[in-house]
Amino acid sequence: MTVDFDHIIKREKRKQRLVTSGILLVAVGLILGVGVTAVKQRMASQYRAAQKVAMITDMIESPNVTSTSHYLSESGLFNRRLKSDRFKNIDGYLVKTAPLEINFSLFSVGYGGGTQLPITVPISKTKTIGAFNRENGEKLPLFFNPKHEAIKKANEADTTHESQTLADLQKHVAEVAISFKEPMTYAEIQAKIPDNLLINWYWLGMASNKLSVTDTIGKVIGINANEIGQLTDTPGKSGRPTDWTSHNYPDFVAAVQAAAATRKFNSSGIDIYQDALQQIKTYPTLKQAKFSGIIVSGRTENLAQLDSQAYIYATNVGLDAEVLPYIAPTK
């Protein structure tokens, strides 16, 4: 009997190739499986980081803005976008504003298009500088520091007294940013603001006097009030962002501390988060805190009277809404 060694060798080689190929396929499958699992776990971690960015933004730099949801608007394997629909409370009228968008990937977490810095342009009637959202063109209320070391710039905003112009806008509600001549305590603000206006947001102000209004547009630090214009001072809550309450001052302090540790935004050599950190070190509790301004909302005929108040340095109008017969304003 003749043995065909060539045939046997070729057959064994084919078997070896098949075994080797099978091992490679299994190995590649395992590697891909491990890799995909690792990517999913990493993206889940980055999603939580993006949520924390959104929560800090909601807590400390969302003047009269409330987020209603956090969801993925774009969901790729390596790049995703967290989106939050947002509204303003204009004396009980919910007015939709630009969304908050947080882009995140395997190695970074950053803002999306909805949080780009506003544009500043002259308002045609008054020639003063106004700020407008890049995404939807809405007018943003501005705050002014009476102690700012003024350096006149071409795009600098002059102090405004816009609330008085609302006398000509009938059957509307609006929001107005009020800048105080001197910082006031929470109790002083409650005593000063007329009962026919709703306080929506409390501006922390600036420790530094070097930043002008245009230096801080879109990056003002403060705390939103609850639906009746009040803040709470409940200590001992968890430091986790998911447990924060938007109108609780100790949670606001925790959010400022978290922002100062993780974020940077320099304007004219001043980091606004470090500046805010300096402020809360001076004002660790609501009873001690002093605020440099507030956002109020109400009927336009009531807002028009604000510029006559002695404690007010400037007023600047934001959004408005028409009063409808079937929705009564809060105030």
Side-chain angles (χ1 to χ4, degrees):
M1 180 178 179
T2 302
V3 178
D4 189 346
F5 289 104
D6 289 339
H7 177 71
I8 294 172
I9 292 170
K10 289 179 180 179
R11 185 176 61 191
E12 290 301 317
K13 285 183 177 179
R14 283 198 298 270
K15 286 181 180 180
Q16 289 178 356
R17 284 197 294 267
L18 287 172
V19 170
T20 302
S21 298
I23 293 172
L24 285 173
L25 286 173
V26 171
V28 169
L30 288 173
I31 292 171
L32 286 174
V34 170
V36 170
T37 300
V39 168
K40 287 182 177 179
Q41 290 177 342
R42 176 62 178 173
M43 292 301 286
S45 175
Q46 291 294 81
Y47 177 73
R48 291 190 292 271
Q51 281 186 310
K52 184 175 180 180
V53 170
M55 290 173 184
I56 292 174
T57 302
D58 288 341
M59 281 292 299
I60 72 172
E61 47 185 302
S62 298
N64 189 25
V65 175
T66 301
S67 288
T68 58
S69 59
H70 290 160
Y71 60 93
L72 288 175
S73 63
E74 295 181 13
S75 184
L77 182 60
F78 302 110
N79 294 280
R80 298 177 186 175
R81 174 172 291 182
L82 177 71
K83 186 174 181 179
S84 177
D85 296 322
R86 312 180 97 197
F87 293 83
K88 288 193 171 191
N89 178 5
I90 311 295
D91 197 18
Y93 282 69
L94 293 184
V95 179
K96 191 170 185 178
T97 186
L100 175 66
E101 296 176 322
I102 309 294
N103 294 325
F104 63 99
S105 65
L106 283 174
F107 304 108
S108 65
V109 177
Y111 289 113
T115 56
Q116 291 179 355
L117 290 178
I119 57 174
T120 53
V121 295
I123 298 173
S124 57
K125 183 177 180 180
T126 62
K127 306 301 181 184
T128 58
I129 298 294
F132 300 86
N133 186 285
R134 291 178 185 271
E135 185 162 323
N136 60 10
E138 71 182 46
K139 187 176 183 297
L140 303 177
L142 300 178
F143 288 97
F144 296 83
N145 179 2
K147 297 181 180 179
H148 168 234
E149 299 169 4
I151 301 173
K152 191 62 180 177
K153 303 175 184 176
N155 65 339
E156 183 59 87
D158 292 325
T159 306
T160 59
H161 302 280
E162 293 181 347
S163 69
Q164 60 193 2
T165 67
L166 294 174
D168 298 328
L169 185 63
Q170 302 297 316
K171 297 182 180 180
H172 277 70
V173 290
E175 65 171 352
V176 172
I178 299 174
S179 303
F180 300 141
K181 289 182 178 177
E182 295 288 343
M184 293 199 293
T185 66
Y186 178 73
E188 289 171 336
I189 292 171
Q190 305 310 304
K192 292 280 189 184
I193 299 303
D195 290 336
N196 58 14
L197 297 178
L198 176 66
I199 303 174
N200 299 97
W201 192 75
Y202 295 78
W203 178 40
L204 188 62
M206 299 291 297
S208 171
N209 292 326
K210 295 182 179 180
L211 296 181
S212 69
V213 60
T214 50
D215 289 327
T216 57
I217 289 174
K219 285 290 182 180
V220 287
I221 305 295
I223 177 172
N224 276 305
N226 62 15
E227 65 277 2
I228 58 174
Q230 297 177 347
L231 301 178
T232 56
D233 195 11
T234 307
K237 295 193 69 176
S238 169
R240 294 178 300 179
T242 50
D243 294 331
W244 289 340
T245 302
S246 61
H247 54 268
N248 187 46
Y249 191 80
D251 292 339
F252 167 71
V253 169
V256 170
Q257 291 169 336
T262 58
R263 299 185 182 184
K264 290 185 180 298
F265 183 84
N266 285 290
S267 184
S268 298
I270 305 296
D271 187 311
I272 66 161
Y273 299 114
Q274 294 302 318
D275 184 279
L277 183 63
Q278 184 177 341
Q279 292 275 72
I280 63 165
K281 286 180 178 178
T282 305
Y283 306 134
T285 68
L286 181 58
K287 186 175 182 179
Q288 295 169 303
K290 288 188 176 182
F291 300 96
S292 294
I294 55 175
I295 289 178
V296 298
S297 61
R299 298 174 188 264
T300 49
E301 59 267 29
N302 297 329
L303 292 166
Q305 311 303 315
L306 285 172
D307 278 315
S308 63
Q309 302 300 312
Y311 62 90
I312 291 178
Y313 176 70
T315 60
N316 196 269
V317 175
L319 294 185
D320 65 84
E322 182 181 5
V323 174
L324 301 172
Y326 48 87
I327 301 177
T330 301
K331 292 290 186 174

